[in-house]
Amino acid sequence: MSTLTSFDETEGPDGTHKSDNVPVRDRIPSLKEVYSEHTPLIDKTLYQTINLPQNIPFGCENKQYRTQYLATLIVTIGGFIMGTTLGWTSPAGPMMENGQYGFHITDDDISWIASCMPLGAMLGCPFMGGLVNKLGRKRLMIMLTIPALLGWVMIIWADSVTIICIGRLLNGFASGSYSVIVPQYTAEIADKEIRGTLGTYFQLQVFSGILFTYVIGSYLDVFGLSIACAIVPVVYFCLMFLVPESPIFYLTKGNIIKARWSLKYFRRPFGQVDQELITMQDSLAKTEREKVPIMKAFQTTPAKRGLFLGLGVMVFMQFTGCNTVIFYTTTIFNASSSSISSNVSTVIVGIMAVLSTYVSTLVVDKLGRKILLLYSVIAMGICTFLIGGFFYAKDSNYDVSSIGFIPLLSLCVFIILFSIGFGPIPWMLMGEIFPPQIKGIASSIVCMANWFFVFLATKFFTLLVSTIYLYNTFWLYTLVSVLGTFFVVFIVPETKGKTMEEIQLLLGA
């Protein structure tokens, strides 16, 4: 091992620095010597030095990343909360129609109850864009458990449709906010070798939350289901105190000591972080020197291409039918007259979603983002075409009893390929493609647009079905998948294994 003096070696037992005894040639200059006096990232008392390991023992790679995996599993429980909010409508809808609340709820009421969630999420996104760099990622994730819990409390004790809708708005606000913060935090703490894997954990937790509501909803009434969902934010609140704040946030506040402590936590057990810390400082200092008004920042080629790419993948994520499947799984299976009960079918779909998203975590850093998106959108188009064909045959009075398995099989394949590609990867790309100057605002714009697309897809699904019938609705999703195939082939770049700086060069910086 060739060693330059590390920070630990230049600190005495009393906490004072021993830098005076370190030869000049072995010492990395402070940021004060590198950047101007006006940069907010300078710590005028701290020397930044490097400890470079030449050989990492074979088999230690997993240990090196273990802390990052654990922290990401905890943080992405925010995605689990989002999943319970998304999935609640599927089992709860029939329960509400059956009068479990004690007051009349119509089909139109249920469509509004489902649609209030994405409306609330749209409200959460712009708030987070402005607050994430002021209050910090960890603090905001903890604070958001309050509206999440309050929303469930209102749903549990609702005495009118209006109260249920307000509760859904609050749950949606928390979910939309988590969809901005969690991917950003995950991208900031991850080594580039596993950034893709950790980036898929958010969607894995989302589908786990959806499966949770499907299973619980099969055994409990609407009140028991809502109470079970309300417990999750409480657990999340407690667990979040176990993980540190993002080192990037500390650096933006000029707190190099805490940034170094945070980065050492995520890089345990080796803990040699000085080189990476300097790289982060260099990137942030460069961003600070090149800081321009926000509108001018959006006029750069990487910003415009990143925004177009982010909005594009969200369009194809929503309008290929994913949230229709999630929100109306039970309804679709009831309509298919399958011999398998709708509750069992729904749980099967949820299990497939979780397992396939887990597969995505294993292969995304090996196969790459682009190829998974391509396989995903092609398979989704085929599945929606088959589902449309089934319902066309049924509406045309053909005997479909022998092919009643088609909706279940097609929806399972749809969910599997969606979960491997277009489910997790758009969220992961959002943490990778934006220049630092606009990352917070651009992520909020893309998330807000995504939730607007969710609102359109869920609120007007029933209207679309009544206007052009169920089979034409699914064939419309097929057409969108065809357009999405061309988008992936000609627009989406491959970001596998690239640093943030390399991705910006790829986008035209």
Side-chain angles (χ1 to χ4, degrees), residues 258-381:
K258 283 191 175 181
R260 189 178 191 279
W261 171 82
S262 174
L263 196 58
K264 285 192 73 172
Y265 174 91
F266 292 118
R267 301 299 182 259
R268 286 191 288 183
F270 300 104
Q272 287 111 358
V273 301
D274 299 293
Q275 179 65 67
E276 188 175 358
L277 192 66
I278 289 174
T279 301
M280 288 180 176
Q281 289 173 304
D282 184 38
S283 178
L284 288 170
K286 180 182 177 183
T287 300
E288 183 67 22
R289 291 197 306 271
E290 297 173 355
K291 192 173 183 179
V292 295
I294 193 65
M295 292 308 297
K296 189 175 180 181
F298 271 100
Q299 294 172 9
T300 63
T301 299
K304 288 188 286 189
R305 290 190 65 185
L307 196 59
F308 177 71
L309 177 61
L311 291 172
V313 291
M314 291 303 182
V315 165
F316 293 111
M317 178 184 182
Q318 299 305 333
F319 292 116
T320 49
C322 68
N323 273 306
T324 297
V325 171
I326 293 170
F327 277 56
Y328 296 100
T329 301
T330 302
T331 303
I332 291 170
F333 279 113
N334 284 335
S336 72
S337 302
S338 171
S339 58
I340 304 174
S341 73
S342 57
N343 282 339
V344 173
S345 301
T346 303
V347 170
I348 291 173
V349 170
I351 291 173
M352 292 298 102
V354 172
L355 293 178
S356 52
T357 306
Y358 177 70
V359 171
S360 180
T361 69
L362 302 178
V363 301
V364 68
D365 280 318
K366 296 180 175 66
L367 298 180
R369 285 68 156 151
K370 186 165 183 168
I371 191 68
L372 292 178
L373 286 175
L374 188 59
Y375 287 155
S376 176
V377 73
I378 291 174
M380 291 190 309

Side-chain angles (χ1 to χ4, degrees), residues 28-236:
I28 298 299
S30 70
L31 287 177
K32 179 180 177 182
E33 299 171 75
V34 178
Y35 303 119
S36 71
E37 280 285 331
H38 300 291
T39 178
L41 301 179
I42 295 176
D43 186 310
K44 296 182 174 60
T45 63
L46 182 64
Y47 286 110
Q48 303 302 316
T49 56
I50 309 173
N51 196 345
L52 298 173
Q54 298 299 312
N55 295 296
I56 295 176
F58 179 77
C60 289
E61 291 86 350
N62 290 335
K63 291 183 179 179
Q64 181 183 3
Y65 301 138
R66 183 172 54 196
T67 308
Q68 295 174 55
Y69 285 127
L70 179 60
T72 302
L73 280 173
I74 292 174
V75 169
T76 53
I77 293 174
F80 192 97
I81 294 172
M82 176 175 152
T84 58
T85 306
L86 283 167
W88 180 84
T89 310
S90 185
M95 297 179 192
M96 290 187 285
E97 285 184 322
N98 292 335
Q100 290 192 13
Y101 267 105
F103 51 86
H104 184 59
I105 299 178
T106 65
D107 286 341
D108 188 60
D109 291 333
I110 291 175
S111 73
W112 275 111
I113 289 169
S115 303
C116 279
M117 183 268 172
L119 286 178
M122 286 174 59
L123 297 175
C125 293
F127 275 97
M128 294 309 106
L131 293 176
V132 69
N133 287 327
K134 294 181 180 179
L135 298 181
R137 291 73 161 137
K138 176 181 175 178
R139 187 177 300 172
L140 279 174
M141 286 186 279
I142 292 174
M143 291 170 61
L144 285 168
T145 58
I146 297 173
L149 182 59
L150 182 59
W152 286 118
V153 168
M154 296 184 73
I155 290 170
I156 292 166
W157 282 286
D159 56 6
S160 68
V161 172
T162 301
I163 298 299
I164 298 176
C165 287
I166 294 173
R168 292 281 292 170
L169 282 169
L170 288 171
N171 284 340
F173 179 88
S175 298
S177 302
Y178 283 130
S179 70
V180 175
I181 302 170
V182 174
Q184 182 174 342
Y185 179 94
T186 304
E188 289 176 352
I189 69 168
D191 277 301
K192 67 177 183 179
E193 290 81 8
I194 61 168
R195 193 176 65 238
T197 297
L198 298 187
T200 61
Y201 276 31
F202 181 74
Q203 189 68 29
L204 177 64
Q205 292 275 30
V206 171
F207 275 128
S208 298
I210 292 170
L211 176 60
F212 176 81
T213 61
Y214 288 175
V215 173
I216 298 297
S218 299
Y219 295 98
L220 302 179
D221 61 11
V222 68
F223 304 105
L225 170 64
S226 302
I227 290 170
C229 293
I231 293 172
V232 181
V234 178
V235 174
Y236 188 50

